[in-house]
Amino acid sequence: MNLVLLLSIFNLFVGVFSKEAFRPSVVNVGAMFSFSTINGKVAKVAMKAAENDINSDPSILGGKKLSIVLHDSNFSSFLGIIGALHFMETDTVAIIGPQSSMMAHVLSHLANELHVPLLSFTALDPGLSPLQFPFFVQTAPNDEFQMLAIAEMISYFGWAEVIAVFSDDDQNRNGIITLDDELAERRSRISYKAVLPPDPTATSSDVRRELTKIQMMESRVIVLHTFSKTGLLVFEVAKSLGMMGKGYVWIASTWLSTVLDSTSPLKPETANSVRGALTLRLHTPDSKRKRDFFSHWDQLSNGSIGFNSYALYAYDTVWMIAHAVKLLLDQGGNISFSNDARITNAGGKDLNLSALSIFDGGRQLLKNIIDTNMTGLTGPVRFNRDRSLINPSYDVINVVKSGYRQIGFWSNHSGLSIVPPETFYGKKPNRSSSNQHLDSVVWPGGGTTRPRGWVFPNNGRQLRIGVPNRVSFRDFVSVVNGTDKEQGYCIDVFLAAIKLMPYAVPYRFIPFGDGHKNPNYYELVSKIESGVFDGAVGDIAIVTDRTRIVDFTQPYIESGLVVVAPVKKISSSPWSFARPFTPFMWAVTAAFFLIVGSVVWILEHRINDEFRGPPRQQIVTILTFSFSTMFFSHRENTVSTLGRLVLIIWLFVVLIINSSYTASLTSILTVQQLSSPIKGIDSLISSSERIGFQVGSFARNYLIQELNIPSSRLIPLGSPQEYAEALEKRTVAAIVDERPYVDLFLSDHCEFSVRGQEFTKRSWGFAFPRDSPLAMDMSTAILALSENGELQKIRDRWLSRSACSSESEDEPEEIDLKSFWGLFLICGIVCILALLVYFLSMFRQFSRHCPEEPDSTSRDRSCSERLRTCLSFVDKKVEKSQSSSKGKGESMSPNGYHKENVCTYR
C-alpha cells in the first residue's frame, strides 16, 4: 500500500516537473521594424512600454517575463528575412512586424510552416488575405477602409476624376487598386496612375517627371499613397512646380498625419509645401488610459520622437500577445517547439535549417489572438469574422498655416461626420449621402471654396469637336461653302455656352461626313469613344444606345418623333349640320322623341284636356309635343305626377344632347378640317404603306426595333425636297422624323401636316467622353442660357419661320350612340316604370268600379265586350272634383277626379 502511494506521488511530481519544463521563465516575442522611420521609432518606444507594464503585473503571465527582442531591418528585405529566421531559431512565440507589406507577403509563408503568428499594425495591404496567410494578423485597420474613406471624401466633394500617385510596392499598389474599385461604385474614376519607385528609393527627378505629366492633365484632384520620405519629396517638388496653388486638391493617406503628429513643429519649407492638403489619421476614442499614456510619452521616448496613433496600436499589439499567451497556458497548452523532418532534410550540408522548429502551440495561440476581446488604448479590441478590427475609423485632417485642424471623422459605421464615430455605434448604421458632413476646408492656395477639381489642360492642344456635315436642314448645322467655318442653330448654342464657361476652352471644329449625304450620327458619337474626337456638337439626339458610350450635356432643345402625311382640306357642304351625330345616333334620338311623347300622352290623356280630342288631333299633339321639347318650347302642361317625372328626365337628356351637338357643330364649322387616312403612328403601323425617314437619323432603328416595322417598308430620304416629292407622288404614305426638322419642313410645305401626337420624347445635346467634367460644366452653361432667355433668342433667330402652322389638326370625330347610351337607358327605364305604375292603377280602378255580373247572363258575355268596356274606361275623361260637388252616385279617383259610371254593358 505504501509502495503504491509512493509511486503515485512520484508520477505526480514527474508530471508537474515535466509541465513546468515546458513553461519557460521567459516568453520571447520578436519585433521587426526599420527603426530609423517615424513609425519604427514610435513602435520601439510603445512596445518597450507595454513590455514593462506587463512584466510589472505578475497576474498576466504568472511570474513569467515577456521579452521583446528588436530587429532593425533598415529598409532591407534581406535583413528582414535574416531577422525572421533568427527569431524562429530562438523559440519565439510571435513576431510583431514586419513593417512593410512586401516583407509580410514573404514571411507569412514561413510563419505558415512554423506556426508562428505574425502581427503587424503597419503592413496593412488589402491583398494580405487571411485565407492565404492564416498566421498573419493585421492589428490596425486594413488599408481597404482607408481607401473607402478617401473614396467617400471624393464623392462628398463631387469630383468625378482623380489622379493617383503611389510608390510601386505591394501595399501602395493594392491600396490604389482598392481605391479605384471604390470610386467606380460612386461613378468616379482614377484617370491616371503615376507610379514612383518604392520608398525610400524615389528621387527628385523621378517625382518631377511624373508631376510634369500630371500638370498637363485635366484632373486637379491628386491622391498620394506612399510613405513619409517619398511623400514629403512629392510635396516639395509639387510646390516648386506650382501645383500647391489654387485649383489643386491633394489627399494624402495616413503617412502625412504621422509626420504632422511626430515631427511637430515642421520645418518651414515642409509646412509650406503641404499646406492645404487633406489627410487621414487612425482614430482612437478618448479615454483616461490614453491620456495618461500620452502624458508620459516624452518621458518614455526621452523626447526622441513625437507621439502618433501607431504608438497606441503598437502598445495594444503587445498586450494582445500577452493575453493570448496567458490564455494558452491557462488552457493547459505548452510553449514547446519541435523539429520538422522536411526542414532538416532540406538543409543539406551548408544550410543550418535544423535550427528552425515548429511552435507546437502556435495554432492555439493564433486562435486566442483572433478571439481577443479587450479594451486597450485604441478602444475596444475585437476582430470580425473576416479578421478585421471592429469599427475602423479615421480622423480627417486639413493642413493649415498654423499646423493642422481636424475637420471631421470617417467610420465604416456612419461615414463622414463632424461627430466622433463612437457616438453612433449604438445606432443603426447610416452612411447615406444626406448624412455626410465635414467642416470647412482651407484648400491649397488659401481658398475656402471647393475647387472644381478639373481644368482644361494647359498642354496647347485644342479640343477636337466633331460636327455633322449636313446636306439638308442646314439651319441646324452646316459648313459655310468655301470656308472651314461652321454655322447654324446648334453651333450658336455651343458658342454661347462656351462664353459662359469659367475657364478658356480652346477648340476646333472638324466636319464629319462626306458632304453628299447626311452622316450617321451613331458613328459620329462612336468617334468620341474611340478618341478620334473630344466631343461632338450638332443636332445629336440623346438616345439610349448613345448614352452607353458617351455623356451628354443638359438638353438644349426638345425633340420627339412625329408623323407627317399629306392632307386635304374638307370644304363645307349644305349638310354640314348633320355631321355632329352618326346616322344611328340621329335615328335613336328621333325614336326617343316619339317614345317619350307617346308615354306622356298616355299618362296625361284621361286627366289633361290638352291631350284630348279627335284621334287626328291627338296624333298631332303627340308629334308637336315630342319635338318641341328639343327647344324646351312645348305648350302642353303636364298635370300628373308620373308625366312630370318622365318629362323632367327627358328634358335633362335633351339638354345634354343639345349641348354636345352645339359644341361639335361649332368645331366643324370653325376649325380647319384636314382629311388624311393616316391619323397617327398607330394607323401608320397597322397599314402596309411605306414610311420615309431621314438618312442618318435614329428614327430607322426606333421604327424597326421598338415598333417592329419591317425594314422593307422604310424608305431613306435625304432632304426636304425629297420629303415633298415622296409624299406628293405617294412613294411613301408618311414620313417619321424629329419635331425640329418637321417644323422647318412644314414652314415651306403647307400641303402636309403632322398627324397625331409625338410618340417619343427625346432631346438634343452635346456629346463628350464618359465622365468628362466638361459635360457637366457645359450643362451648367446651357441652363444659364435658358434662364437668361438667350437660348430662346437663338432659336427664334434660326428656326422661327411660321409660314403655316405645323400643328396637327385632326378632324373632330362624329358623336356616336356609345357616348349617350347611359342617358337613353335611364330615360327608357323611367318610361317603362311610369307606364307599369299607370296601367296597374288603371286595372285596379277598373276592377273595383266595373265588377263582373253575378248572373249567368253576365258570365256568358264575350271577353271582347269587356275589353271594349275597359278601353272605354281608360279613354273616358275624368273631371276634376270640386270640394262642394262630391255626392251620391259619384266616385273619386286617387288623383282627385270624378269618374262616371261607364260599366253599363251594351
Side-chain angles (χ1 to χ4, degrees), residues 151 174-186 188 190:
N174 290 335
I176 293 301
I177 292 173
T178 303
L179 175 62
D180 204 3
D181 294 340
E182 297 293 343
L183 288 175
E185 293 183 6
R186 293 158 178 79
S188 300
I190 297 177

Side-chain angles (χ1 to χ4, degrees), residues 603-617:
L603 298 175
E604 296 288 327
H605 175 65
R606 298 186 73 242
I607 60 177
N608 193 337
D609 290 335
E610 295 181 356
F611 288 87
R612 298 189 64 80
R616 185 174 183 178
Q617 180 181 345

Side-chain angles (χ1 to χ4, degrees), residues 8 17 117 432 833:
S8 300
F17 178 79
S432 63
L833 292 176

Side-chain angles (χ1 to χ4, degrees), residues 84-85 88-89 109-116 337-360:
L85 292 174
M88 293 175 183
E89 288 177 355
H109 293 286
L110 188 59
N112 290 346
E113 294 295 330
L114 301 181
H115 298 175
V116 177
F337 297 83
S338 58
N339 293 327
D340 189 341
R342 294 176 304 161
I343 299 176
T344 303
N345 296 334
K349 299 180 179 179
D350 300 325
L351 297 176
N352 187 25
L353 297 181
S354 59
L356 299 177
S357 56
I358 297 175
F359 180 20
D360 297 327

Side-chain angles (χ1 to χ4, degrees), residues 160-178:
E161 291 187 0
V162 302
I163 293 174
V165 180
F166 60 97
S167 296
D168 191 15
D169 57 60
D170 291 340
Q171 180 163 338
N172 294 300
R173 188 188 313 110
N174 290 335
I176 293 301
I177 292 173
T178 303

Side-chain angles (χ1 to χ4, degrees), residues 151-165:
E152 291 198 0
M153 289 169 60
I154 292 170
S155 177
Y156 171 79
F157 290 112
W159 297 313
E161 291 187 0
V162 302
I163 293 174
V165 180

